Amino acid sequence: MAKINIYHLYPAHLNLYGDRGNILALCRRADWHGIDFEVVPVEPGGEVDFARCDLLYMGGGQDSDQKMVADDLKTRQSDMSRAVEAGMTIFAVCGSYQLLGQYYTTSNGEKIGGLEIVDLYTEAGPKRLIGNAVIKCSLWNPPRTLVGFENHAGKTYLRTGLKPLGEVQIGHGNNGNDKTEGAVYKNVIGTYLHGSLLPKNPWLTDYLLNKALCYRNQAFQPAQLDDSLEQQAHDSAIRLAGSRRHKRLSSRA
Ligand code: GLN
């Protein structure tokens, strides 16, 4: 039976807007697809066995939480970057997405050093970027839609050559200016989308499971699942995102 080991970094610190739901979605769908799994929660000082870890998950966090884990994260930098180059999957949301890059400068002007695994940097802007967001994601051909909720002060900029996760259709994305959202480097995916994201975008959950299995040369044999409930959640989040935008536009008129 295929098996994946999921390491969950800092669940006590990095868990905003239901991000733990991403772990639940990964486990539930792994189960439905007949994949055995183990989830190992790791707090600062705990061990990540990179020889076993197939998928590393990190949720979002407030500035204070990011500061609390940043030093611990730094101690894992070389192991993590070696594993990433070998093909390990990382899925990082918001605060931890920022920490994958070079640095995050908070609104107080404090600079939190990042892992420098993904070629990006983040600087807090004068207003928070908040709301439901819809992006067109080219991990699939034809592209698929991802929908989630964002709330961040940080404005993230991807350096040349780094691919975004998607193109913003509704919302702010990485920085509110260039229509990019998230980043993809090898099997690392960073995104600003909370929600939680995976339950209402099941194709991304399966994408991550597939990458984690391939890393250890295991085949993903997807079961035929009835995703109608997930699809309904996805569609209603899109409607919500669209109606907020509509209201904003009509209140300006
Ligand atoms: N503290 C970061 C910011 O405000 C990340 C917030 C989050 O994870 N939602 O940009």
Side-chain angles (χ1 to χ4, degrees):
M1 189 182 196
K3 167 151 195 220
I4 55 167
N5 295 311
I6 301 172
Y7 279 70
H8 184 182
L9 269 189
Y10 318 129
H13 295 282
L14 302 178
N15 177 33
L16 279 182
Y17 311 115
D19 284 344
R20 203 175 65 90
N22 290 325
I23 286 284
L24 298 179
L26 284 165
C27 294
R28 190 51 71 92
R29 286 188 81 82
D31 198 26
W32 289 342
H33 287 304
I35 303 162
D36 196 8
F37 60 88
E38 188 183 327
V39 178
V40 184
V42 178
E43 297 299 345
E47 195 206 346
V48 176
D49 183 353
F50 283 97
R52 290 185 76 242
C53 176
D54 308 319
L55 195 163
L56 188 75
Y57 172 65
M58 301 154 77
Q62 295 172 357
D63 293 3
S64 51
D65 288 315
Q66 287 172 279
K67 266 188 276 173
M68 248 181 270
V69 301
D71 287 345
D72 187 83
L73 205 51
K74 275 283 192 191
T75 65
R76 308 178 193 272
Q77 186 173 34
S78 56
D79 288 339
M80 228 159 132
S81 117
R82 211 171 305 123
V84 164
E85 294 307 310
M88 184 185 73
T89 298
I90 298 182
F91 179 49
V93 179
C94 200
S96 54
Y97 163 44
Q98 296 170 341
L99 293 177
L100 293 177
Q102 273 126 23
Y103 64 86
Y104 166 44
T105 310
T106 70
S107 349
N108 297 335
E110 260 176 288
K111 194 167 179 173
I112 306 175
L115 284 162
E116 302 184 46
I117 285 177
V118 182
D119 207 3
L120 56 84
Y121 64 96
T122 305
E123 289 166 354
K127 74 171 178 57
R128 296 194 73 81
L129 305 176
I130 305 174
N132 293 294
V134 180
I135 68 169
K136 191 168 99 187
C137 178
S138 303
L139 289 177
W140 301 271
N141 186 13
R144 302 203 70 149
T145 303
L146 298 176
V147 59
F149 171 77
E150 57 179 332
N151 182 353
H152 49 109
K155 294 174 130 194
T156 295
Y157 296 93
L158 312 187
R159 300 217 194 252
T160 321
L162 180 62
K163 275 199 307 214
L165 175 62
E167 182 192 312
V168 175
Q169 313 275 285
I170 299 175
H172 306 283
N174 281 330
N175 49 55
N177 301 324
D178 64 13
K179 294 273 172 210
T180 65
E181 201 294 311
V184 181
Y185 171 69
K186 294 188 180 266
N187 291 332
V188 179
I189 293 184
T191 178
Y192 269 115
L193 302 181
H194 299 273
S196 27
L197 186 65
L198 296 183
K200 51 181 176 279
N201 299 279
W203 31 93
L204 183 59
T205 320
D206 288 355
Y207 180 92
L208 294 168
L209 292 173
N210 180 33
K211 290 291 178 191
L213 286 170
C214 288
Y215 179 40
R216 306 289 182 191
N217 300 317
Q218 303 182 90
F220 180 42
Q221 286 163 333
Q224 285 302 315
L225 301 180
D226 174 6
D227 287 339
S228 49
L229 208 57
E230 290 83 347
Q231 186 72 51
Q232 277 177 45
H234 177 86
D235 294 348
S236 92
I238 291 185
R239 278 196 299 278
L240 194 66
S243 70
R244 291 257 162 92
R245 182 173 70 163
H246 180 73
K247 267 190 217 137
R248 249 198 337 269
L249 290 178
S250 45
S251 68
R252 271 195 218 133

